[in-house]
Amino acid sequence: MGKLLILATLAASAAATPALADSGSPSVSAVQLGKCIVRTDRGVAVGLLKSLPLTGGQVDWSAVSLGVAGKCQDAANATVTVSALRGGLAQELFKRDFVEFGVQPQRAVYDLANFSLPVEKDLMGAEDPTKTLFLTADCVARSNPNGTEKLIKSEPGSEQEAKVFDSLGQWLSACQGASRMAYGKAELRSAIVQAAYHVSARYWAGQMTYAGPAFRPGGVQ
């Protein structure tokens, strides 16, 4: 099927302050961990996206139940952050369930992962770093699905990922609007990947009929 999501173009100002704080990337071990958990026990993966905090430091493994997916956790990924793990899980689920952004999912709609992100309109303008991060990510995912898909398919820390972030710069700046909070690449990548799955799942479940920007930042018409 052709891509069905309705796209909206953002005329971002090149002079806007970038959303990136540094050139860091999510560790490869975190992405591999997410992939292993999804492949081993999809239910555990979805459960983690529902239960893990949206952001934070290292995962507290003593408070996480992986079941048979426990074999995926080892010394190499013991210090993975919450954000990186969430991104790894969402990325693998997206690749399996949707393959492409805007195309009918490969998985039954009723069986898509259902997890919450703080992207409701009544949260707009809240000077909270986590809310601002996910509002920005949701806006980028809706407004530039092609760039978002390229980000999902790029390897963390790769030259390709760096080029994708460069191309997303105007959307990142525009989607932040008046907010000028800065985020690292690892954190921002994770949020955008989660937002991509979240938008896609809601769209195909009929929970939203328009996949344009979550909000229009100042200066964008």
Side-chain angles (χ1 to χ4, degrees):
M1 291 182 64
K3 296 198 173 189
L4 301 180
L5 294 183
I6 301 174
L7 314 183
T9 302
L10 292 180
S13 168
T17 303
L20 294 178
D22 56 43
S23 58
S25 63
S27 66
V28 175
S29 62
V31 174
Q32 292 303 315
L33 174 58
K35 182 182 297 186
C36 179
I37 292 174
V38 172
R39 288 179 174 178
T40 305
D41 193 327
R42 177 189 171 86
V44 166
V46 175
L48 287 173
L49 284 173
K50 291 181 178 181
S51 62
L52 284 173
L54 294 171
T55 56
Q58 296 179 10
V59 176
D60 179 4
W61 293 111
S62 66
V64 174
S65 177
L66 295 178
V68 294
K71 66 180 184 180
C72 299
Q73 201 275 311
D74 55 30
N77 51 49
T79 59
V80 66
T81 65
V82 169
S83 181
L85 177 55
R86 289 185 63 93
L89 293 168
Q91 178 171 302
E92 183 64 17
L93 286 169
F94 185 95
K95 288 181 176 181
R96 286 168 170 262
D97 295 355
F98 294 104
V99 184
E100 294 183 57
F101 202 166
V103 175
Q104 189 169 359
Q106 303 297 301
R107 195 175 191 86
V109 172
Y110 67 81
D111 203 29
L112 294 174
N114 184 11
F115 56 94
S116 299
L117 294 179
V119 295
E120 297 304 318
K121 291 183 178 180
D122 61 355
L123 298 180
M124 289 191 301
E127 290 300 322
D128 176 277
T130 298
K131 292 177 182 178
T132 301
L133 170 64
F134 281 98
L135 280 169
T136 299
D138 182 76
C139 175
V140 170
R142 293 191 191 192
S143 305
N144 192 342
N146 290 329
T148 297
E149 187 177 312
K150 289 179 182 178
L151 180 64
I152 292 172
K153 293 180 178 179
S154 69
E155 290 295 325
S158 67
E159 182 178 346
Q160 181 186 8
E161 182 196 53
K163 290 180 179 179
V164 174
F165 268 116
D166 285 342
S167 70
L168 288 177
Q170 60 178 342
W171 279 274
L172 289 168
S173 295
C175 285
Q176 274 200 322
S179 171
R180 281 294 164 259
M181 295 182 184
Y183 304 96
K185 277 187 179 179
E187 191 175 24
L188 198 52
R189 177 188 173 116
S190 173
I192 292 174
V193 172
Q194 291 176 67
Y197 192 103
H198 190 244
V199 167
S200 298
R202 286 185 297 152
Y203 178 82
W204 290 106
Q207 297 173 8
M208 57 186 295
T209 57
Y210 174 61
F215 62 98
R216 290 187 177 276
V220 177
Q221 304 297 325

